[in-house]
Amino acid sequence: MPSPDHPVAEDFASLARMAAHDPAMTLQSIKRSDQRDLALPCWPVWLAWSAQRGRQGILVADAREACPTGLLPELAAREHPQRLARGLALAALALGRQRLHLIVSPGREGLAGIVRQALDALAASLADPGAAPGIVLETHVEPPSPDVPPMALNPDAFSLSLAAWTRLPLALAGQAAGIPLEHGGRLVELPEGADLRQALGLEGLAVLDEGLSGFAAPDTPLILDPEDLAARGLAPAPHGARALAKGECPVDLTRQALYQHWRRSAVREGHPHRVLLARCARLAALLSLGRGGREELEELTQCAKLLDDAGLKAAHTLGSALAAFPEQWQAHAAGRCETGACQARRVAPCQERCPAGIDIPSFLSLTGRGEHAKAAAVMVQDNPLPYSCGLICPAPCEKVCLRGKVDKPIHIRAMKAVSARALFAQDKDYPVTTAPAPSGRRVAVVGGGPAGLACASFLARAGHAVTILEAMPKLGGMMRYGIPEYRLPKAILDREIATVTGLGVEVATGKALGRDFTLAELEAQGFHAVFLALGAWSSRALGLDGERLLTGVVSGTEFLVELGLGRKPAIGRKVVVVGGGNTAMDCARTAVRLGAEEVRVVYRRSRTEMPAAVEEVEEAEHEGVHFTFLAAPTRLVGEGGRLAGMEVVTMALGEPDASGRRRPEPKPGSERVIACDMIISAIGQFCDESFTRGSDGTLGDVCLTKWKTIQIDPVSLATDRPGVYAGGDAAQGPATVVEAIRDGKRAALAIDAHLEGRAFDPSLALPKPRLEREIVCSPRGCGWAEHDRPEIPMIPVSARQGNFELVELGLDQEMAVTESRRCLRCDVCIGCGLCQLVCSEAGGDALRFKEVGGRLVFEDFDRPTDKCVGCGACTRICPTGAMSLVLGKGETAIAFTGHSISEHATPSCPECGAPLPAGEYLEHLRQRLGGQADSARLTLELCPECAHKKRGASFVASLLR
């Protein structure tokens, strides 16, 4: 029985002979199969094939998706590469074609490699490689068209969708060929006439191709048949289908789909129906945002007929949407969204990604304005240690910064340090709001690292009496004992810790859980709740023989803690650091400063898989650290009880593992020895279990997981013991400082709810928009394009030798102003696209946005300068004030979140001085009105009010005459 991807493997040679020597028989085989290319216009494959006979031309494989997130062409090519290659080869032989045009959407050019590989594999698999036609592959990048293609056959191009090419060899072999669809990110093949609801398990409203192919009401049958689907107002050839997800609003999905239809027309200069598509998308956006009423809904209904008359694919979207859920449209026309998804204001991506949930756009703006106390107040609402995080945070926020999708992300991490540093320079503390009166409740925080400090800070602000019990001599946890001073000076850490203890938090150092007290004893002492923030202080061993016996092998944690305690750890002459994380970089750079002659980092994966921050790796290289990638230790070499070297084996990267990184696999026979007299192991940390061996030998009801972390409820962070909570590395596993702060903040909210006798509301811990509207504007005549991302000043590498001075000097205020101006203010602009749509509808087409993760991002800073006519339509329709009209003497500017994107000289009314419309706007109207321009009186010499007065005076004068 042949496999699904090899249905005609044994018959390919005979099919190839038939295609090459008897094209008529080949055509009859296709005709008997009754196969259709289920992509518009859904004609029979044999009909398109017959038009090609006896003509020179090309083969075309259309691999464009039905929607931007669609994967059907790629899935079909990956699942059935040999069927695809055979289909193309058989057509090439039968029609005498050697050129293949592969049409892909922008950004999907990688599909060409899959097709090329499939064709090469077919040639290699044949006994006679010369039997395969030499197909020349050309890739053409074209966005999908918004138009329904006409029923016309091109005799010079035999064009099928890529999915249809994978079905062609089955048709030639007389086998049933299922229709490929995408569902849930995978490929499914169903027979024509199948019930999509039953086959795919679709309940409720069905969404076809994210709405671009239409919507089907819950009680509407969905039969996989082009005529049946078209009769119901749906696209006859959808690529995929899914059910409406919980919390999704179908009106908002319609808005997004109509925007995509318009976008497909906008990239085609001079498209005749661009204005109509823009109007439809604008009306849907207004209704979605609660800014449209019955008039807009009636106009949208009229537009649906115009779309159908114009033969546009958007007719499937809008017509089916209006028919499938009329109640939702009526509700939106009345200003209501049943799901709340439309009117809900999203936080900016940076704030959404920040583990602590800091309102990043607001503090960036305030820092740029020099209002550092206000900026610090915004930051400490969610993070009591902003200066420390401003130096050491890995900045996940910057990875999703939408400015980075345009050029480079904002220096968010470094900007935190600017305001904190300015405030401390004035000898001022962070401004925090505390409860008006004590609650009378006591909480013990076990562990004074970032999670414990954060929990203590937020609980103290809520009015609770907090005591931190810390095992080490000083507070700070791994921030003090695991991060070298050149990254985080202890003076800065101490100053921030003082802002926490200054809230009335009591501190007891040298007190370890299990050694000096138990949970039962804390309860007996009158504590009403406990938060365990014990950290992860133990390093994972290399697991090699002699590791604990040879002198010169130490763990990364042990090495850094020695340094943090103020001692100078012994250092070798040739040091090897095993690991690829930030701890490994800290160990390597510290070894350089302590005088090692050679420091080498050995990592078992490639550089791109290193979990360490890119800047940390680069700085290590600048300081002279060497790197050996794709190498794993296999054996320690010793001489006289001392370390002399480490044997490593070369690794090759295989398939991805559970972490998503490619699994390293050893290459047999590639072993070699790296000479060294010191090895620092930095391959991971875990929670020390010694706290379970106290006077009672147990934590009581607190349980551990199989990974030896404290078992907690992931929402409230509560343990199995009532009143006891846990977070940070001891509960979540080794992570970052800001993630520990997140846990401390969440635990404080949960503990506060517990002490107040109410249920914990998880939404309290989620990032929230603060509704700030502070915007740092660029000077007139200077827009975003003029602001380049500054480089963070560092002390020279030559000045770092032998000392632990802070390497990063930080941004100065001038740089901070530039960075705040570079911010796209995603908290102000909600990415609804209304400004872009109304501009297109007015014929200007001056604004360009790009879609990133479901949001629209302003991307072309120069286009408005050339295209904008200064009509101001975008500023009038903007629902948030992100677009504004700035009137000046003799000049009008269009500003986007405070930045001028176009400026126009505007005359003034000679009577009152009021600004008149820009000359470019009047000329634009003349061109659009054509012959009607003269009667429209477009030559303005007075403002409307003065002109009205003048006409009135003239009328009165005529009466008196």
Side-chain angles (χ1 to χ4, degrees), residues 461-476:
R461 298 183 208 182
H464 305 301
V466 183
T467 300
I468 299 178
L469 303 164
E470 168 59 49
M472 298 297 283
K474 292 185 177 182
L475 298 181

Side-chain angles (χ1 to χ4, degrees), residues 354-375:
C354 174
I358 294 176
D359 180 10
I360 291 170
S362 293
F363 98 73
L364 287 177
S365 177
L366 291 165
T367 298
R369 297 165 70 93
E371 300 180 38
H372 299 300
K374 289 184 178 180

Side-chain angles (χ1 to χ4, degrees), residues 240-264:
R242 67 174 179 87
L244 184 73
K246 183 179 180 180
E248 275 189 313
C249 175
V251 172
D252 192 51
L253 281 180
T254 307
R255 172 191 69 81
Q256 296 177 45
L258 289 173
Y259 179 84
Q260 289 299 331
H261 285 300
W262 167 80
R263 192 176 183 88
R264 292 177 177 184

Side-chain angles (χ1 to χ4, degrees), residues 418 811 925:
V418 173
L811 303 173
L925 289 179

